[in-house]
Amino acid sequence: MRLTFALVLLAAVLLAPSASATAPSAMASKGCSIGDSRGYGTTYVTKISVSGTSCRAARSLIRAYHACRPGKSGKCRSVKGYSCSEHRFNKGRISYDSNVTCRKGGKTVKHTYTQFT
């Protein structure tokens, strides 16, 4: 009797749906290594984070974003099918910092850069 009960209990545990299978999945953002911070077409990229895509794809997108910008003060609204927005801060005579967010469906790429003017 105990063996039967133990087997039934074990089967119930193994066949029960897991919490992760029924919970909605949310994609957490993760940080990416920058590599050569000056290799993106701007003065310095200082931070990269992604959600729903790879770090490699993010670095490619960031390079394309900065190639799209018309000059040091320019902004790019879309690149590679992503819609991008930019917020500049720490504006001074010789430089500014900027946060850029690019989105395409469930994919998000964010980066921060410093531009010397």
Side-chain angles (χ1 to χ4, degrees), residues 61 64-65 68 76-84 101-109:
L61 175 72
Y65 176 84
C68 170
C76 184
R77 292 195 182 268
S78 70
V79 63
K80 292 190 169 189
Y82 283 76
S83 175
C84 301
T101 302
C102 296
R103 289 188 171 93
K104 176 181 175 182
K107 301 175 184 180
T108 302
V109 174

Side-chain angles (χ1 to χ4, degrees), residues 30-93:
K30 67 176 182 174
C32 298
S33 67
I34 296 167
D36 178 9
S37 65
R38 298 187 77 175
Y40 293 91
T42 185
T43 306
Y44 294 102
V45 170
T46 57
K47 184 178 178 182
I48 301 172
S49 65
V50 300
S51 177
T53 191
S54 70
C55 291
R56 185 178 196 170
R59 289 188 287 270
S60 174
L61 175 72
I62 293 166
R63 285 184 186 92
Y65 176 84
H66 289 287
C68 170
R69 290 175 49 215
K72 293 178 180 181
S73 62
K75 297 180 181 180
C76 184
R77 292 195 182 268
S78 70
V79 63
K80 292 190 169 189
Y82 283 76
S83 175
C84 301
S85 63
E86 183 171 342
H87 170 71
R88 293 183 177 166
F89 59 100
N90 290 340
K91 296 178 189 175
R93 286 187 11 234

Side-chain angles (χ1 to χ4, degrees), residues 4-19:
T4 304
F5 179 72
L7 289 174
V8 169
L9 183 60
L10 180 61
V13 169
L14 293 175
L15 295 176
S18 67

